[in-house]
Structure formats: C-alpha cells, structure tokens
C-alpha cells in the first residue's frame, strides 16, 4: 500500500515511531526487520503494539520510512496476534534534539573562529612601539633624522616624545638640536617639489604637443572625408559606401571637436596661470607690458575665436545631419554590421529584381519578334498569291499593272487627317537627328510628351504605312537583339 502521510521531520531526527506491530512481535524480530536500514542504537518497545527505534545516523531514518505500509506476519500463522500493518513515522526525541543543538553550536564556533582568523589576516599591522626616551636613544634618533631614508620614521618618534612631555631643562638642548636637524629637511623637500613640478610641466608640454599632432591628423582625415563627399567623387561610390563614408566623417568630426576642446582647455589653463602670475607682480610691472605681449595675446584670442567659430559650424552641420536622420543616435559597431548586412541583402534583392526585369524585357522582345515574323509570313504569303496571279497575265498587262501599282503606292500614303501629317513631320524630324535609328518605345516616350493620348501601336502602324519614308532594321545578336526605325526618304529621292 502507499505509505501514509508523516509528520514534519524534527531537526536532527534519528528516532522513528513504528506502530501496527503484531502482539507477539519481540525486540529480536523488530531488530531483524529494521537493522537492514542501518545500525540500531536502541529499541524501546511498549506493551502495546508500537515501539521507538533509534538509529546511529540521520539518513538511516529515511530508509526506515520506506517500510511504512507493509504487512508483517510471524511465521505462517494467520492469527490476529501474529499479523499487523506497519506504520513508520518520525519521532521527536530529546536526545536527538540535544545532539543537533550541540552540533549547531560547534559549527557556529568554527564559523566564528574562521571569521576571526580572516579578520586578523586582513587587519593592517600595528605600528611599531615607540621606545622610551633616554640619552642613548636620543643620540641614535639624531643620527636617523639626518638620514633621508629614515627621516619619516624618526620624525614620528620625535613628535611622540615631545607630546609625552620628555622635554625638560636638562634635555632641552638635545631636543633643540633634533628640531634643528628636522628643519634642515625643509630645503630638501622644496627642491624635490620643484623637480616634480618641472617634470609635470615637461609632461604637460609633451602631452600638448602630442595632442596638437593628433589634432592635425584628425583635421587631415576630416578633409579627406569632405573631399570624398563632393560630387566629383561622391557619384562614383555605391549607396552602402556613401553611408559608411558619412558615418566615418561624422565620427571623425566628433573626435576632432573633442580634441580641439581639450587643447583649448589646456591653453585657457595656461593663460589663467599666466594671468595669475601677472597679478602677483607689482602694479608698476603691469603698466610696463610691452607691445609684443599684447600682440601675442591678440593672436591667441584670434586663434581661439577661429577655433570656436569652426566648432560652431561643425555643431550646426551635426544638427542638420541629425535632423536629416530623424533623431537617430550614433550606433555601435554591432548595429553598423547589421545595417551593412541589411544593405548587402537589399543590394542582392535589387540585383535579382533587375535580372527579372531584364528577363521580362527579353521575353517581351521575343514576343514582339514572333508577332513581327508572323506578320511578315502572312505578308509574304499574300505576295506569293499576287505573283502567281500576275504570272497568268500577259507581259504588257503586267507592265500596266506595275504602273498602276506605282500610282497606287504614290496614292496610298494619302493622309487621313492633319494630325497624321503633324505626326509624320515630328517623327521625321526626330528620326533625322537619330541617324542610327530609334526603337518604338523611345519614339513613343518622346511623342507622349507632346500628346499623352497617343499609343505606341498607332505610331507603329503609321510607320508601317509609309515604307518609302521609314524602314525597320534589326541590331544586336541574341538577347541584345533590338528593332529600330530609320528615316529613309532621302535615299528614295536619290
């Protein structure tokens, strides 16, 4: 049967309650059944049908719980006293709880000891103990005060002795000599400070020179980008290349402006330091500022004004670009790569569309060629029939017919309306200035600007009606095959 629900497990539980035992069950039988779960330390059996079993470890209790729900029968007897259904549950024993508390206290002690060891390890070392004043120690301290490497340690000891009250009438002279030796280090410290200041000024000067060189190179790079964006070179780049050049140009301009601001800040600091130095002088020196200094200051102000004007122009250009880009921020390199991938995909799509369009144009050309071939075939068949009929007639009749045909050909281009005459004049002028001919689409696009209602078929039929004025030629081979119309009226006159 499924094991019945148990109570909540007490902390450190090693004891189980076993109920539903047969009345005739002994401690030996109980031990024989439950010792397979682990080492049993104690069995407390009641006169009723239950007992308490204590194991050596906590995990053994979990194995004993699995025996709950089984039926137990002694031997082969079916008597009620020899059978029963086991119920195993957690038992709350004081011994288990006491051992668990002891274990928790031991773990807490170990944790406190570990933390204390960690704090002792991380604690800074204690300062060395200050020795007591004596004449011998004072003589040693005076020697240490003269040494530059041991001065900081010796001055601490001297300060402690004076604060302790070791100075008296007898030791005053000795303390005075030590204070005098401490004072002699002031000049050394000032010299060290001056040397460090000189190093700092040299470093500032080298940094300013390097920054000026970097700024000039940035100016050259920006000039290259500006030259690339001019129409003479800009038209030869692709759309993706133009976009990348525009992004690089904006990035370089931002870096150039930042570096120029940093350089101008350094120059302003230097001018402020110079003005502070001038203010520290006497007023008579201020009045004696020569013209060269004024000219240099005016030149510096002029340079600063020019640089500020350049920065203002750069900011205006950036604002215009930002307005054009509809507030898009400067993107990271990952987004740039994504944009480049999108651009490449768009280019491939455009290429595929162009290929499809060219294939469609080729199909349309082939259809028109097929239609023209059919028309020519029907025309040749009609001509063959006419020739067969003419062969039957006499030669003289044929000559008369030829004259009649010539007269009919001269009469056939009879125009139906003034519109057709106007169209023929415009088409003749257009084809006359195109000596190599023009296809019907090109001619129709030109005529449509004059009359939007005219169709390409109408123009083609008009051209076919006048074979002595306009003739049709095929140029190209294969996919590049093209049908063009030419003006040939002057050839007929010759």
């Amino acid at each position: 049967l499924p094991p019945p629900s148990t109570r909540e497990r007490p902390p450190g539980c090693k004891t189980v309650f076993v109920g539903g035992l047969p009345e005739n069950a002994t401690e030996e039988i109980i031990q024989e059944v439950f010792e397979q779960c682990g080492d049993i330390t104690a069995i407390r059996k009641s006169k009723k049908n239950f007992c308490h079993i204590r194991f050596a470890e906590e995990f053994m209790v979990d194995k004993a719980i699995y025996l709950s729900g089984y039926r137990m029968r002694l031997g082969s007897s079916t008597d009620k006293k020899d059978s029963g259904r086991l119920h195993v549950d957690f038992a709350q024993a004081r011994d288990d709880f006491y051992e668990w508390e002891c274990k928790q206290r031991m773990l807490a002690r170990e944790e406190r000891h570990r933390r204390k060891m960690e704090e002792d390890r991380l604690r800074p070392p204690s300062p060395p103990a200050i020795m007591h004043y004596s004449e011998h120690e004072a003589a040693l301290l005076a020697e240490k005060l003269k040494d530059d490497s041991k001065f900081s340690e010796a001055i601490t000891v001297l300060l402690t002795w004076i604060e302790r009250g070791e100075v008296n009438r007898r030791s005053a002279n000795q303390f005075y000599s030590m204070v005098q030796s401490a004072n002699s280090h002031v000049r050394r410290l000032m010299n060290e400070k001056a040397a460090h200041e000189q190093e700092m000024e040299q470093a500032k000067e080298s940094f300013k020179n390097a920054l000026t060189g970097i700024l000039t190179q940035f100016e050259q790079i920006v000039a290259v980008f500006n030259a690339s964006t001019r129409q003479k070179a800009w038209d030869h780049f692709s759309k993706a290349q133009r976009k990348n050049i525009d992004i690089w140009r904006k990035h370089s301009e931002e870096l150039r402006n930042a570096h120029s601001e940093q350089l101008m800040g350094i120059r302003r600091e230097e001018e402020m330091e110079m003005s502070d130095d001038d203010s520290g002088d006497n007023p008579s020196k201020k009045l004696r500022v020569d013209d060269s200094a004024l000219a240099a200051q005016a030149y510096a102000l002029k340079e600063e004004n020019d640089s500020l004007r350049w920065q203002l122009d750069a900011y205006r250009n950036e604002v215009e670009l930002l307005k054009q880009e509809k507030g898009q921020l400067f993107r990271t390199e990952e987004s740039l790569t994504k944009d480049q991938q999108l651009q490449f995909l768009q280019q491939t799509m455009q290429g595929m569309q162009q290929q499809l369009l060219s294939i469609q144009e080729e199909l349309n050309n082939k259809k028109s060629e097929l239609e023209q071939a059919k028309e020519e075939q029907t025309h040749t068949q009609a001509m063959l029939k006419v020739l067969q009929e003419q062969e039957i007639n006499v030669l003289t009749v044929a000559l008369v017919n030829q004259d009649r045909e010539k007269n009919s050909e001269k009469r056939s281009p009879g125009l139906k309306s003034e519109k057709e005459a106007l169209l023929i004049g415009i088409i003749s002028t257009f084809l006359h200035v195109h000596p190599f001919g023009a296809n019907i689409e090109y001619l129709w696009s030109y005529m449509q600007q004059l009359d939007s209602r005219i169709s390409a078929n109408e123009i083609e039929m008009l051209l076919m009606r006048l074979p002595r004025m306009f003739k049709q030629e095929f140029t190209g081979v294969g996919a590049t095959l093209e049908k063009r119309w030419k003006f040939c009226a002057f050839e007929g006159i010759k």
Side-chain angles (χ1 to χ4, degrees), residues 3-225:
S5 60
T6 58
R7 64 191 291 178
E8 189 178 353
R9 180 171 187 153
C13 180
K14 295 181 181 178
T15 308
V16 293
F17 165 82
V18 183
L21 291 168
E23 291 183 13
N24 296 334
T26 60
E27 288 187 10
E28 290 80 7
I29 293 172
I30 295 167
Q31 184 161 3
E32 183 183 351
V33 172
F34 283 93
E35 69 181 355
Q36 57 189 334
C37 299
D39 295 336
I40 298 173
T41 57
I43 298 176
R44 294 190 294 275
K45 187 175 181 306
S46 174
K47 292 180 180 179
K48 296 183 180 181
N49 301 334
F50 71 88
C51 71
H52 288 86
I53 303 173
R54 189 161 191 262
F55 291 99
E57 298 294 337
E58 291 183 24
F59 70 89
M60 299 174 183
V61 175
D62 299 326
K63 294 182 180 180
I65 293 293
Y66 282 112
L67 296 176
S68 183
Y70 281 91
R71 290 197 176 274
M72 184 175 177
R73 190 171 69 185
L74 303 180
S76 59
S77 175
T78 58
D79 193 5
K80 189 177 180 181
K81 295 182 178 182
D82 293 334
S83 65
R85 183 182 167 192
L86 297 179
H87 173 65
V88 185
D89 196 357
F90 299 111
Q92 193 153 9
R94 284 175 294 178
D95 296 341
D96 297 343
F97 189 68
Y98 175 71
E99 287 183 3
W100 180 78
E101 282 186 334
C102 291
K103 188 176 180 181
Q104 294 299 315
R105 283 195 292 272
M106 183 184 70
L107 291 173
R109 282 196 301 272
E110 290 178 355
E111 181 65 20
R112 283 197 301 274
H113 178 68
R114 188 187 63 77
R115 285 184 183 175
K116 188 173 180 299
M117 293 290 288
E118 190 69 18
E119 288 174 1
D120 291 342
R121 188 177 66 81
L122 297 174
R123 187 182 292 120
S126 301
I130 304 298
M131 73 285 291
H132 293 286
Y133 172 76
S134 64
E135 290 185 1
H136 177 67
E137 292 293 339
L140 293 175
L141 189 65
E143 293 296 327
K144 285 183 179 179
L145 284 169
K146 294 173 184 176
D147 191 358
D148 293 343
S149 60
K150 298 178 182 178
F151 174 73
S152 57
E153 179 187 351
I155 201 74
T156 308
V157 176
L158 179 60
L159 178 62
T160 306
W161 281 353
I162 294 171
E163 288 176 349
R164 279 182 189 173
E166 300 290 348
V167 182
N168 50 32
R169 188 169 291 180
R170 189 177 63 186
S171 61
N173 292 330
Q174 204 161 9
F175 272 98
Y176 177 76
S177 65
M178 287 191 286
V179 171
Q180 189 178 10
S181 61
N183 182 52
S184 64
H185 283 272
V186 173
R187 190 182 300 143
R188 175 182 65 84
L189 295 174
M190 292 302 293
N191 292 333
E192 287 182 3
K193 183 194 170 190
H196 289 309
E197 283 180 350
Q198 190 176 0
E199 289 178 2
M200 186 178 69
E201 291 296 329
Q202 291 175 356
K204 275 186 180 179
E205 190 66 27
S206 63
F207 174 70
K208 189 174 77 171
N209 294 333
L211 194 61
T212 308
I214 290 168
L215 190 59
T216 54
Q217 291 181 14
F218 268 118
E219 292 286 349
Q220 292 169 353
I221 293 168
V222 171
V224 168
F225 284 130

Side-chain angles (χ1 to χ4, degrees), residues 264 267-268 271 297-313:
M264 292 308 299
R267 287 179 180 173
R268 283 193 213 101
E271 288 172 4
Q297 191 173 4
Y299 184 72
L301 287 171
K302 185 181 177 183
E303 281 187 350
E304 186 175 357
N305 189 16
D306 292 336
S307 65
L308 288 171
R309 190 169 67 250
W310 294 336
Q311 288 178 22
L312 184 62
D313 293 336

Side-chain angles (χ1 to χ4, degrees), residues 481-493:
L481 188 67
E482 191 177 10
K483 185 166 62 174
R484 292 188 178 184
W485 287 91
K486 283 187 177 183
F487 182 73
C488 63
F490 292 117
E491 296 174 6
I493 290 169

Side-chain angles (χ1 to χ4, degrees), residues 241-255:
Q241 290 171 347
R242 288 180 189 175
K243 193 170 185 182
N244 288 335
I245 289 170
D246 203 9
I247 291 166
W248 294 337
R249 181 178 60 80
K250 286 189 286 183
H251 184 52
S252 300
E253 284 179 353
E254 288 176 2
L255 291 172

Side-chain angles (χ1 to χ4, degrees), residues 286-301:
K286 285 184 183 179
L287 295 172
R288 278 185 259 145
V289 176
D290 55 350
D291 295 334
S292 62
L294 286 170
Q297 191 173 4
Y299 184 72
L301 287 171

